[in-house]
């Protein structure tokens, strides 16, 4: 039975029923009295009470009961109906996925309904929190997938270039052929690792890059890197000058694959934003020794970055006007990936640039100190 029907029945029970019962009882009593009067020939109250007075009394009591019943049922109705209909709206909103509907606190009742209000509010906040978290995770996962797809382009382009080189007969000596094939193999490995990363993301459903930090010898690590990118740049007729000024035994704690992503992204920008007017593209790659850190500088003689854009280049999706207007593709996420990886290594990155002259990317990573870390 609906709550409103129950209230109507209660109203009737309080007001009408007593009066009907009262009238029936009165009628029976009168009949009994009349019968007794006849038997014993005595005069009773019932026979002396005028009929008009009885009806006045009956109607007065009825009106009083009616008033009391109206006030009581309205009072119960108000204290139950309006909060329940408010709760009903709130629940409907939640069912539709809107977790912003707050129940009207001014009209918040006390007692059990107040508890219901509180439970609703707790539930709403919990649902809102988990919905917000789900949206954030979704956005971060999407961002990571975009990052990986972005970085997959670099090895694919390189593999295409080398295979074309082999097909066109550019690799005309056994040494060259060996180098080309080795690079294709390395690039395929890079792709394999990135695809593995994608699988890991989807499996662990987390929004962190799964780093594998290792102790790396700075000299050996960067020498190997340069060998790989050197070949790439050679085929593009870009001069690469490399100096590694750190002592032999210097080590860092880093993820070799992720650090390679940093270098690949920076170098591919240098290649992409080379100044066509200049006779030859040049990249200077230096690894510098500092008291507590190593500093890597990758400098190019490209078209440079306007001073107004320099503070924004590490922002996701930022591209300077000239890059946006040029035919060179890109989504403006390369340097945001670079920044994230460097910072996840405890380092920092910045850029210096002069329009028309070139750009230099600097990043710093702390050295691994045997004693400090043991
Ligand atoms: N070496 C550089 N020389 C000139 N401009 C650069 C250089 N590196 C970065 N920039 C500028 O910084 C912007 C952001 O670089 P970022 O690598 O984040 O994005 P992108 O190269 O445009 O696109 P994506 O890397 O996603 O393919 C570039 O659009 C470009 O304007
Ligand atoms: Mg880029």
């Amino acid at each position: 039975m609906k709550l409103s029907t129950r209230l109507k029945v209660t109203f009737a029970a309080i007001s009408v029923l007593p009066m009907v019962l009262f009238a029936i009882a009165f009628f029976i009593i009168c009949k009994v009295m009349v019968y007794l009067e006849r038997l014993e020939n005595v005069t009773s109250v019932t026979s002396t009470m005028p009929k008009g007075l009885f009806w006045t009394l009956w109607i007065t009591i009825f009106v009083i009961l009616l008033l009391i019943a109206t006030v009581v049922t309205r009072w119960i109705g108000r204290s139950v109906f309006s909060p329940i209909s408010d709760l009903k709206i709130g629940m409907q909103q939640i069912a539709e996925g809107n977790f912003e509907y707050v129940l009207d606190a001014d009209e918040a009742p006390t007692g059990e309904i107040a508890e219901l209000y509180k439970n609703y509010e707790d539930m709403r906040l919990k649902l809102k929190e988990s919905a917000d978290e789900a949206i954030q995770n979704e956005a971060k996962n999407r961002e990571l997938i975009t990052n990986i797809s972005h970085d997959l382009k670099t090895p694919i382009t390189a593999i295409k270039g080398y295979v074309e080189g082999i097909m066109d007969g550019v690799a005309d000596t056994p040494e060259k052929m060996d180098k080309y094939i080795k690079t294709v193999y390395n690039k395929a490995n890079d792709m394999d690792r990135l695809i593995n990363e994608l699988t890991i993301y989807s499996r662990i459903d987390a929004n962190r890059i799964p780093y594998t930090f290792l102790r790396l010898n700075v000299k050996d690590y960067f020498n190997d890197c340069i060998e790989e990118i050197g070949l790439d740049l050679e085929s593009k007729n870009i001069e690469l000058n490399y100096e590694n000024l750190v002592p032999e035994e210097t080590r860092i704690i880093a993820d070799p694959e992720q650090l390679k992503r940093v270098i690949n992204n920076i170098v591919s920008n240098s290649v992409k934003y080379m100044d066509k007017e200049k006779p030859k593209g040049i990249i200077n790659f230096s690894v510098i020794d500092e008291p507590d850190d190593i500093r890597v500088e990758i400098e190019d003689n490209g078209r440079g970055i306007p001073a107004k854009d320099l503070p924004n280049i590490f922002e996701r999706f930022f591209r300077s006007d000239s890059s946006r207007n040029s035919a060179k593709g890109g989504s403006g996420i390369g340097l945001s990936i670079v920044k994230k990886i460097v910072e996840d290594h405890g380092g920092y990155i910045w850029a210096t640039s002069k329009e028309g002259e070139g750009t230099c990317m600097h990043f710093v990573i702390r050295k691994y100190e045997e004693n400090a870390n043991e």
Side-chain angles (χ1 to χ4, degrees), residues 49 52 63 87 138 170 174 180-181 222-223 332 373:
M49 184 187 278
V63 169
L87 263 172
E138 167 107 21
V170 181
Y180 270 47
I181 289 177
F222 284 101
N223 287 354
N373 291 282

Side-chain angles (χ1 to χ4, degrees), residues 150 265 268-269 272-273 334-335:
H150 171 272
N265 264 302
S268 64
N269 274 350
K272 190 152 88 171
Y273 303 114
L335 288 179

Side-chain angles (χ1 to χ4, degrees), residues 150 269 272-273 300 305 318-320 323 330-335:
H150 171 272
N269 274 350
K272 190 152 88 171
Y273 303 114
D300 63 54
I305 303 167
F318 177 85
R319 306 196 75 207
S320 71
S323 310
S331 37
I333 59 176
L335 288 179

Side-chain angles (χ1 to χ4, degrees), residues 39-245:
L39 267 186
E40 297 169 18
N41 204 18
V42 288
T43 316
S44 76
V45 191
T46 43
S47 55
T48 50
M49 184 187 278
K51 262 206 168 133
L53 184 63
F54 166 76
W55 282 115
T56 315
L57 196 67
W58 193 88
I59 288 169
T60 313
I61 296 173
F62 182 64
V63 169
I64 291 170
L65 276 179
L66 211 62
L67 276 175
I68 293 172
T70 311
V71 171
V72 168
T73 45
R74 286 204 82 187
W75 176 63
I76 294 173
R78 255 219 223 122
S79 62
V80 175
F81 273 126
S82 87
I84 282 189
S85 67
D86 205 12
L87 263 172
K88 196 174 131 197
I89 297 171
M91 291 299 192
Q92 261 166 359
Q93 295 290 327
I94 283 184
E96 284 163 19
N98 173 19
F99 305 119
E100 300 297 335
Y101 188 82
V102 183
L103 297 178
D104 197 349
D106 290 344
E107 289 195 12
T110 49
E112 289 89 340
I113 304 258
E115 253 173 60
L116 259 182
Y117 264 52
K118 194 183 164 297
N119 290 346
Y120 166 87
E121 192 57 15
D122 288 350
M123 176 188 76
R124 184 186 73 81
L125 290 176
K126 271 197 193 126
L127 285 172
K128 187 173 172 333
E129 201 179 301
S130 56
D132 288 351
E133 211 172 286
I135 291 170
Q136 270 178 14
N137 279 348
E138 167 107 21
K140 281 187 180 165
N141 280 346
R142 227 180 293 131
E143 181 181 321
L144 284 164
I145 288 167
T146 321
N147 287 357
I148 292 174
S149 318
H150 171 272
D151 284 1
L152 267 173
K153 273 189 219 145
T154 316
I156 289 173
T157 319
I159 288 174
K160 265 174 74 185
Y162 287 112
V163 172
E164 270 167 23
I166 293 170
M167 290 192 307
D168 296 347
V170 181
D172 46 6
T173 63
E175 293 79 37
K176 257 194 171 175
M177 180 65 94
D178 191 43
K179 263 189 169 180
Y180 270 47
I181 289 177
K182 214 173 129 197
T183 315
V184 169
Y185 176 75
N186 285 340
K187 298 287 169 192
N189 270 343
D190 285 352
M191 285 174 61
D192 194 30
R193 180 185 45 78
L194 286 166
I195 291 164
N196 274 342
E197 234 176 70
L198 258 187
T199 330
I200 292 170
Y201 286 144
S202 52
R203 217 183 299 132
I204 60 177
D205 194 28
N207 37 46
R208 283 169 282 115
I209 298 177
Y211 288 105
T212 311
F213 286 105
L214 302 174
R215 257 175 268 180
L216 303 178
N217 178 291
V218 175
K219 206 144 215 167
D220 294 346
Y221 177 78
F222 284 101
N223 287 354
D224 288 350
C225 272
I226 289 300
E227 204 179 309
E228 221 177 277
I229 49 176
L231 201 62
D232 212 358
L233 296 177
E234 199 184 300
S235 67
K236 290 181 175 119
N237 198 27
I238 293 172
E239 184 182 320
L240 174 68
N241 302 310
Y242 169 61
E243 55 175 359
N244 194 332
L245 305 172

Side-chain angles (χ1 to χ4, degrees), residues 348-366:
Y348 51 95
I349 183 162
W350 72 100
T352 49
S353 184
K354 219 164 187 200
E355 241 185 315
E357 283 186 22
T359 303
C360 186
M361 292 285 164
H362 317 248
F363 70 87
V364 163
I365 290 183
R366 266 190 101 71

